[in-house]
Amino acid sequence: MAKTQLNVRVDEATAEVARERALQRGMSMNRYIEELVRKDAGEVGHTFVEAAADFMKQYQTVFDEEFGKEAGARS
């Protein structure tokens, strides 16, 4: 996979924590940051699905009234 270089600026305390965490995990700083971003992107997707499910539960009766219970039973 092709790589793109990113340059970011953080305060020294944040940089030190990142260095320590990467070292504790036995990985490079680049790999550590890459994994953080991937994890964050996955959580956003998971959070969206949870919010959609909560929305559907909250408004299930409205959907049932509008479309009938048979429509809801098919999903």
Side-chain angles (χ1 to χ4, degrees):
M1 169 192 277
K3 298 282 184 172
T4 298
Q5 182 173 336
L6 300 175
N7 294 311
V8 297
R9 292 183 184 273
V10 297
D11 60 62
E12 186 54 41
T14 301
E16 187 57 34
V17 169
R19 286 184 201 104
E20 289 173 9
R21 298 293 174 112
L23 184 62
Q24 288 170 353
R25 288 168 174 75
M27 60 178 65
S28 69
M29 178 77 99
N30 286 334
R31 180 71 182 164
Y32 176 67
I33 299 299
E34 221 175 345
E35 286 191 12
L36 286 177
V37 171
R38 285 189 180 133
K39 180 180 177 191
D40 183 57
E43 287 178 4
V44 169
H46 182 72
T47 300
F48 172 78
V49 170
E50 284 183 346
D54 288 343
F55 175 84
M56 290 300 294
K57 286 177 189 172
Q58 184 177 356
Y59 291 98
Q60 185 65 52
T61 56
V62 176
F63 282 98
D64 289 346
E65 290 170 5
E66 182 69 26
F67 302 106
K69 290 189 178 199
E70 294 300 316
R74 284 185 246 148
S75 51

